[in-house]
Amino acid sequence: MTNITRHFLVLVGCVVSTVIAPCAISAAEPWSRFHGPRGQGYVDGSVLPAAWSESDYVWTHDLGSRDVGSPVVHGGNVFYLLSFSNAKQIGVQSIELATGKLRWTRKFDQPSHHLHKRNTFASSTPFVDDDFVFVAWSEPQHTYLKCFDHQGEEVWSRDFGSWQSQHGFGTSPVVYGDSVLLFNSQQADQLKPGQSAGASRMISVDRKTGTTQWETGLATTRSCYGVPARFEYEGKTQIVDANTGNGMFGLDPKTGRMLWNIDVFEMRCCSTPLVVGDLAIASSGSGGGGNHLVAVRIPKQQGEQPEQVYRLDRGAPYVPTPALRGDRLFIVDDKGIASCVEGKTGDVIWSKRVGGNFSASPVVIGDRLLLISLDGKATVLNAGDDYRQLGSFSLGAPVGATPALVDGYLVLRVGERLVCLRTK
């Protein structure tokens, strides 16, 4: 069975009535994008241990830099971005999943520039499909979107011009059909003297050639970073995303036309939207608090208006993206409050403080929830309606990237290393 056939059968199995609903995602499915299959941060078919130590790793791979871009896995290989700060370069690298052996590295010049203290120069997560690897990064004068084959040969490259943000880059590409989407959201607020406002837009290019299919201008307020989600209904598709100026919004994937939007956010949007039934769910916040998570009912027909269904102001994340298992959202906010929420209603089933500060997004592996704080403390919880802490231990170094799991291999970026744990 080909990968394409397998993905089609999984998609068909997820359809309930005419709206795509959450379903079990096999641990054998490629972790090909930020936050795993369909951006849900959930796989089934593996058992995560409640704790582990250095001796349990199958391999470790020295990177030489600590970055927050997450690894992805496809076809038995791992792909990621990494920075070479001393050489003022950024790199795309691939290693073997089973052994950690280096396959190839491609390096490109990247001048030093201002970043938020929690950001790094290699902050984006690749998207990889059966043919290509897509990566993105920026510097003040350039915003790059590049395509490589699986052997590291460059297929095409685009430069979308200057990037304006007080925090630096952080968005990641995603592929839907024959299109690569890049959420190019830039800064207009809180500029320093001499700085000019950026130009925000959603960009769609052909995945094989990099040719622009469309660009849709978006409100430029504060740079936002969520990876676009997809909503399907009665054979029609929408691209869903969130930012400060437009709120939650939907675009026509063929033309980029704005189909709807609703102003529901007060601050920056960093986390990636999730689609639960016909609800689009995203969050907004700041390093100083005031976070809120909002669910919006997606309009299905022309003339129908979006509707805010619920809003959570306590325990809402700013940077981490919730994980979705069935209709349950598993959330950790930036200051260490973990919650289980009924995704369709917003009812909080449980909410407990686990402690620490968080940037990495939670993932659910089988029936266990993995949370990793910025200082590298891992917490394993029961991913169900009863709160149970199963383990809590240190990984030994800072963690800002979200882990990936494929075929029972859990790949984590810990400090300046990639490490691999074999799950059951």
Side-chain angles (χ1 to χ4, degrees):
M1 181 182 295
T2 68
N3 286 333
I4 293 175
T5 303
R6 184 175 68 247
H7 293 167
F8 175 76
L9 292 175
V10 169
L11 183 62
V12 170
C14 291
V15 177
V16 178
S17 187
T18 53
V19 178
I20 288 184
C23 69
I25 298 172
S26 167
E29 186 169 349
W31 192 282
S32 60
R33 52 160 288 174
F34 172 74
H35 213 213
R38 290 182 283 286
Q40 296 177 1
Y42 166 56
V43 293
D44 203 358
S46 280
V47 179
L48 180 72
W52 62 86
S53 65
E54 186 77 15
S55 61
D56 294 315
Y57 292 134
V58 177
W59 51 258
T60 65
H61 180 80
D62 290 331
L63 300 171
S65 66
R66 187 191 70 82
D67 292 296
V68 299
S70 302
V72 295
V73 183
H74 190 290
N77 298 310
V78 186
F79 305 87
Y80 49 89
L81 292 176
L82 73 166
S83 58
F84 301 90
S85 298
N86 292 337
K88 295 184 179 181
Q89 291 181 315
I90 190 169
V92 188
Q93 195 165 89
S94 176
I95 61 177
E96 294 178 356
L97 175 62
T99 66
K101 180 181 178 181
L102 180 65
R103 299 179 62 235
W104 50 262
T105 305
R106 301 292 179 264
K107 296 182 180 180
F108 302 87
D109 292 338
Q110 186 190 45
S112 298
H113 53 278
H114 174 75
L115 298 174
H116 187 277
K117 63 182 179 181
R118 291 187 180 178
N119 203 358
T120 62
F121 291 112
S123 58
S124 179
T125 300
F127 187 104
V128 57
D129 62 18
D130 290 342
D131 302 305
F132 304 122
V133 182
F134 304 93
V135 297
W137 66 82
S138 82
E139 58 190 66
Q141 301 305 317
H142 302 280
T143 304
Y144 295 107
L145 176 62
K146 290 180 179 286
C147 173
F148 301 84
D149 64 22
H150 284 214
Q151 304 309 313
E153 296 301 317
E154 188 172 301
V155 178
W156 53 259
S157 179
R158 294 294 306 275
D159 180 357
F160 293 103
S162 60
W163 179 271
Q164 179 64 264
S165 172
Q166 66 179 138
H167 288 172
F169 198 72
T171 191
S172 300
V174 65
V175 173
Y176 292 128
D178 291 326
S179 301
V180 185
L181 299 178
L182 185 68
F183 182 34
N184 187 322
S185 174
Q186 302 191 39
Q187 197 87 2
D189 297 346
Q190 303 173 329
L191 298 178
K192 296 180 179 180
Q195 292 182 332
S196 300
S200 298
R201 65 258 199 219
M202 185 73 75
I203 300 169
S204 177
V205 304
D206 184 276
R207 62 179 284 275
K208 293 182 179 179
T209 66
T211 303
T212 298
Q213 296 172 327
W214 50 261
E215 291 191 15
T216 297
L218 300 170
T220 301
T221 54
R222 302 178 186 180
S223 50
C224 299
Y225 302 108
V227 179
R230 180 170 64 175
F231 171 70
E232 294 189 5
Y233 177 79
E234 293 185 345
K236 298 179 181 179
T237 302
Q238 297 182 27
I239 299 302
V240 177
D241 215 334
N243 68 6
T244 310
N246 298 99
M248 205 90 75
F249 60 90
L251 303 175
D252 184 324
K254 294 182 180 179
T255 66
R257 181 171 65 90
M258 181 79 72
L259 300 174
W260 57 269
N261 78 288
I262 179 170
D263 186 7
V264 290
F265 299 119
E266 300 165 12
M267 300 178 184
R268 191 187 311 273
C269 299
C270 287
S271 68
T272 286
L274 293 170
V275 173
V276 182
D278 62 353
L279 297 183
I281 300 173
S283 64
S284 173
S286 75
N291 303 349
H292 42 284
L293 180 144
V294 178
V296 170
R297 194 169 310 283
I298 302 170
K300 306 176 189 67
Q301 300 176 3
Q302 187 172 359
E304 188 177 346
Q305 297 300 311
E307 172 193 5
Q308 179 175 308
V309 177
Y310 63 82
R311 170 178 166 136
L312 301 179
D313 292 314
R314 185 180 184 278
Y318 171 37
V319 176
T321 295
L324 177 65
R325 182 190 186 212
D327 61 359
R328 295 294 189 259
L329 294 172
F330 292 94
I331 300 170
V332 65
D333 77 356
D334 304 64
K335 297 184 179 180
I337 296 176
S339 305
C340 173
V341 174
E342 211 288 323
K344 295 180 180 178
T345 66
D347 293 337
V348 178
I349 297 168
W350 53 257
S351 185
K352 299 286 185 179
R353 181 175 294 279
V354 297
N357 297 302
F358 287 79
S359 288
S361 298
V363 297
V364 174
I365 299 168
D367 60 358
R368 293 184 174 183
L369 170 65
L370 175 62
L371 312 174
I372 307 177
S373 67
L374 281 167
D375 63 2
K377 177 185 175 183
T379 302
V380 180
L381 304 177
N382 172 55
D385 289 357
D386 57 323
Y387 176 85
R388 284 183 286 126
Q389 185 176 114
L390 306 175
S392 182
F393 54 100
S394 175
L395 295 176
V399 174
T402 300
L405 185 132
V406 172
D407 288 335
Y409 291 96
L410 180 67
V411 181
L412 306 103
R413 197 166 198 157
V414 181
E416 295 189 356
R417 299 187 303 165
L418 270 181
V419 300
C420 180
L421 178 74
R422 196 75 165 101
T423 64
K424 297 180 181 179

